[in-house]
Amino acid sequence: MNVTKFEDLEIWKDARDLCKMVYEITSNAPFSTDFKFRDQIRASSGSTMDNIAEGFDRGGNKEFYQFLSISKGSCGEVRSQSYRAFDNKYITEIQLNDLLERTDSLSRKTYNFMQHLKNSEIKGLKYK
């Protein structure tokens, strides 16, 4: 598969799905009324997908790698916040498990992609 834009990346698609799920979950009370926490988990999930996009559009592997690292960290933040949401009874155990599964999978895929970039002979569009 030839990747020409960030929308082609599986990890970006997965991050987008995670972000949509977070927005859906946080739109319901009591989550929706805890404004600071709601905004924090929304920002983390948005950062997960946005950093993949920004890094891709930078054009070089080193910068892309760094932005993927930030994205992976934001994904971990969503994972931690998911436990907090469950502990505060904002989400069900089923929702928690879904979030944990998605964040774990996305984190692993992002790490694997980072390793691929690190070992790649291709240095990015910027260097062609």
Side-chain angles (χ1 to χ4, degrees):
M1 178 179 168
N2 193 14
V3 175
T4 58
K5 56 189 185 203
F6 67 81
E7 293 94 340
D8 295 332
L9 295 170
E10 182 181 343
I11 58 170
W12 182 83
K13 292 174 188 176
D14 290 351
R16 181 181 179 200
D17 288 340
L18 173 65
C19 192
K20 286 191 290 189
M21 181 184 182
V22 165
Y23 268 75
E24 185 178 302
I25 288 171
T26 58
S27 295
N28 301 315
F31 216 141
S32 62
T33 59
D34 187 341
F35 305 114
K36 187 175 179 183
F37 184 31
R38 179 201 64 196
D39 292 348
Q40 185 180 17
I41 193 170
R42 283 180 174 184
S44 299
S45 67
S47 176
T48 302
M49 68 183 281
D50 294 344
N51 277 292
I52 294 167
E54 186 173 353
F56 183 89
D57 278 352
R58 292 285 177 131
N61 280 9
K62 286 184 180 180
E63 284 181 296
F64 192 14
Y65 186 93
Q66 181 168 344
F67 277 90
L68 289 173
S69 178
I70 295 166
S71 173
K72 189 174 180 311
S74 293
C75 186
E77 190 175 349
V78 174
R79 184 177 179 83
S80 178
Q81 291 164 343
S82 298
Y83 284 107
R84 199 159 37 122
F86 178 73
D87 291 345
N88 286 299
K89 298 180 178 32
Y90 290 174
I91 61 174
T92 67
E93 189 171 359
I94 291 170
Q95 289 171 314
L96 171 66
N97 289 333
D98 193 9
L99 284 165
L100 296 179
E101 192 175 299
R102 287 172 190 255
T103 54
D104 181 59
S105 173
L106 180 55
S107 184
R108 282 186 283 108
K109 287 178 184 179
T110 302
Y111 174 80
N112 290 336
F113 190 63
M114 290 169 69
Q115 294 310 303
H116 171 74
L117 280 181
K118 195 176 193 179
N119 298 322
S120 176
E121 304 248 343
I122 300 170
K123 297 301 174 198
L125 297 172
K126 184 176 177 179
Y127 302 103
K128 281 189 174 186

